[in-house]
C-alpha cells in the first residue's frame, strides 16, 4: 500500500510515524508547502527504521504531487490548528481553501485514492471534499470519532480505575466541543454497562471531559494534540490496508441514515479496502437521537459558512 500524508506538521508527522511503526504500508509520502520541511521530517523518520524495526519507506516532498501518484490512501492534515481559546470552527476560512486545493491535486495523481480528512473543522472539511471532488461517498472519510472515542475510553478507564482495553465505547456526532455525542448508555466495561458503576454526576463529568478533550490539550500544549490524532488515523489506514472490516465512528456523507441528509457527520462505519464499506445504523434512544439531531444542526450551520 502507498499512503500520502499532506501536511508534515504535528499531526501529519505523527500519522506517518504510527503508519510506519505499524509496518503495513510499503511507501509513505509526506507533502508540505514549507520548503524542505516534509523532506526533513521524512529523513528523520527514516532514521528510526532500524531502531523501530519497520520496512516502510518514507519520502518527503515540497508541494510535488507527482511523488504521490498511485496512492491508495491520502490523509489531509494540511491547514492551521487552533490556539488556546479558539474553536475548530474558527479555522474554516483558511482551511477550506487548502483542503479543496489539496483534494483536487491528490485525485489528479491518484484517481482511485481513498481520502481521510483530518483538517478542522473536520466534518465541514469532509463535506467540502465531497462537494469539491464528487468522489463516491465511500472514498472520503472524516477522522474525528475514532479519536474522540479513544478520549472517551481514556476518561472512562480513569473514572473506573480499569484498563482502557476493558472498555468498549463510542462517540458519534460532530467533531466539536458542543457537537460530540459520547454514548455513555451504550459504553461497557467487560460487557457490563458503565452506568452500573458510575453515579450520574460522574457520568456527566466523563461526558463533559470527553467533549472538551481537545480543548483541554490545546490549553496545556498551546496548540492542538498530535499523538492520539496520528494514532487514530493510522488505525483507519490499517483497517483499509488489511481490509479488516472494523467499526469506527467516522464522518460520513449521509443520505437518509439517522434521518440526516446532505451532511458529513460522525456515525459508526465499517472500514475496509473500499474505505467506508457500510454505515451502521445502531438503535439510538430518544435522548441520543435528540443530541445527534442538535449536533447535525451545528455542523450544518458551519457548512453554511462555506
Ligand atoms: P501544524 O501547523 O503543525 O501542521 C500543518 C501543516 O500543514 C504545516 O506544516 C503547514 O506548512 C502545512 N500546510 C499548510 N498549507 C498547506 C498546503 N496547502 N499544502 C501542504 N501543506 C500545507 O498543524 P497540526 O497540529 O498538524 O494540525 C493540522 C490540522 O489538523 C489542523 O486543522 C487541526 O485543527 C487538525 N486536527 C484535527 C484533528 C481531528 O481529530 N480531526 C485532531 C488534531 C488536529
Amino acid at each position: 500500500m502507498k499512503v500520502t500524508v499532506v501536511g508534515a506538521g504535528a499531526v501529519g508527522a505523527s500519522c506517518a510515524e504510527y503508519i510506519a511503526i505499524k509496518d503495513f504500508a510499503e511507501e509513505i509520502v509526506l507533502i508540505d508547502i514549507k520548503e524542505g520541511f516534509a523532506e526533513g521530517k521524512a529523513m528523520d523518520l527514516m532514521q528510526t527504521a532500524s531502531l523501530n524495526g519497520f520496512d516502510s519507506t518514507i519520502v518527503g516532498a515540497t508541494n510535488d504531487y507527482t511523488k504521490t501518484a498511485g496512492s491508495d490512501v491520502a490523509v489531509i492534515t494540511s491547514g492551521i490548528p487552533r490556539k488556546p481559546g479558539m474553536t475548530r470552527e474558527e479555522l474554516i476560512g483558511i482551511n477550506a481553501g487548502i483542503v479543496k486545493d489539496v483534494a483536487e491535486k491528490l485525485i489528479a495523481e491518484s484517481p482511485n485514492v481513498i481520502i481521510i480528512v483530518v483538517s478542522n473543522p473536520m466534518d465541514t472539511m469532509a463535506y467540502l471534499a465531497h462537494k469539491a471532488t464528487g468522489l463516491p461517498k465511500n472514498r472520503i472519510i472524516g477522522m474525528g470519532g475514532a479519536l474522540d472515542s479513544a478520549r472517551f475510553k481514556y476518561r472512562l478507564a480513569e473514572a473506573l480505575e480499569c484498563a482502557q482495553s476493558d472498555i468498549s465505547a463510542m462517540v458519534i456526532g460532530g467533531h466539536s466541543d458542543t457537537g460530540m455525542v459520547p454514548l455513555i448508555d451504550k459504553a461497557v466495561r467487560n460487557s457490563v454497562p458503565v452506568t452500573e458503576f458510575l453515579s450520574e454526576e460522574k457520568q456527566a463529568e466523563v461526558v463533559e471531559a470527553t467533549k472538551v478533550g481537545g480543548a483541554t490539550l490545546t490549553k496545556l500544549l498551546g496548540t492542538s494534540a498530535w499523538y492520539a490524532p496520528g494514532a487514530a488515523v493510522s488505525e483507519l489506514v490499517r483497517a483499509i490496508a488489511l481490509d479488516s472490516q472494523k467499526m469506527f465512528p467516522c464522518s460520513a456523507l449521509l443520505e437518509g441514515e439517522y434521518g440526516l441528509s446532505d451532511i458529513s457527520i460522525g456515525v459508526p462505519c465499517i472500514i475496509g479496502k473500499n474505505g467506508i464499506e457500510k454505515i451502521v445504523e445502531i438503535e439510538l434512544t430518544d435522548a441520543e437521537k435528540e443530541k445527534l439531531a442538535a449536533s447535525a444542526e451545528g455542523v450544518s450551520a458551519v457548512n453554511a459558512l462555506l
Side-chain angles (χ1 to χ4, degrees), residues 267-286:
V267 290
C269 295
I270 301 293
I271 304 296
K273 65 177 187 310
N274 299 305
I276 297 175
E277 304 279 350
K278 186 177 172 8
I279 293 170
V280 182
E281 289 202 70
I282 55 170
E283 186 79 28
L284 296 180
T285 63
D286 287 346

Side-chain angles (χ1 to χ4, degrees), residues 9-11 32-34 77-81 95 118 120 143 147 175:
V11 176
D32 205 284
I33 40 163
K34 253 187 273 173
T77 77
S78 45
I80 51 165
N95 287 357
V118 180
N120 274 317
M143 194 295 287
L147 168 65
H175 178 62

Side-chain angles (χ1 to χ4, degrees), residues 6-13 31-34 37 41 63 65 76-83 88 91 94-95 97-99 101-102 105 117-123 125 142-145 147-148 151 175 223-226 228-230 232-233:
V6 184
V11 176
I31 298 277
D32 205 284
I33 40 163
K34 253 187 273 173
F37 192 59
K41 289 276 179 112
N63 237 1
Y65 283 78
I76 303 182
T77 77
S78 45
I80 51 165
R82 58 183 173 158
K83 296 279 173 242
R88 295 175 177 92
L91 308 173
I94 295 176
N95 287 357
I98 295 174
V99 168
D101 178 56
V102 166
K105 286 180 175 150
V117 179
V118 180
S119 308
N120 274 317
M122 182 279 293
D123 298 288
M125 294 300 108
M143 194 295 287
L147 168 65
D148 301 332
R151 287 179 172 159
H175 178 62
T223 185
S224 62
W226 55 88
V233 169

Side-chain angles (χ1 to χ4, degrees), residues 183-220:
L183 298 176
I184 188 109
D185 290 332
K186 293 184 169 48
V188 292
R189 171 190 174 181
N190 295 326
S191 307
V192 181
V194 299
T195 49
E196 289 190 15
F197 305 108
L198 300 172
S199 66
E200 285 195 6
E201 194 188 354
K202 198 71 199 165
Q203 290 174 37
E205 262 177 48
V206 166
V207 165
E208 189 51 28
T210 301
K211 290 169 77 172
V212 298
T216 303
L217 283 161
T218 302
K219 208 165 149 197
L220 290 168

Side-chain angles (χ1 to χ4, degrees), residues 114-132:
I114 294 169
I115 294 180
I116 299 178
V117 179
V118 180
S119 308
N120 274 317
M122 182 279 293
D123 298 288
T124 297
M125 294 300 108
Y127 178 75
L128 170 68
H130 282 291
K131 294 285 158 193

